[in-house]
Amino acid sequence: MTTKEDRDQFLSEEWLELVKEAMKSNITKEEFNRFLEEKSKMR
């Protein structure tokens, strides 16, 4: 199981806040993943 300390080592504060915001929304993991994939293709 991942502890808070482990998680904080992997995610910057900015990403952690983004993940928390996504978790509060009605977006599914699949929709969020699809969004990230599409954004990465635009680079």
Side-chain angles (χ1 to χ4, degrees):
M1 182 176 202
T2 303
T3 64
K4 180 183 183 313
E5 292 80 21
D6 291 339
R7 182 192 64 224
D8 291 347
Q9 289 179 7
F10 295 113
L11 294 174
S12 69
E13 189 64 30
E14 182 181 12
W15 276 104
L16 188 56
E17 290 304 315
L18 177 63
V19 170
K20 288 179 183 178
E21 188 69 28
M23 290 172 64
K24 291 178 190 177
S25 73
N26 290 328
I27 193 170
T28 66
K29 287 190 295 185
E30 292 79 15
E31 290 169 327
F32 188 61
N33 189 41
R34 193 168 32 243
F35 169 78
L36 293 175
E37 288 175 359
E38 288 174 12
K39 285 293 188 182
S40 70
K41 291 177 183 177
M42 294 179 150
R43 291 184 175 183

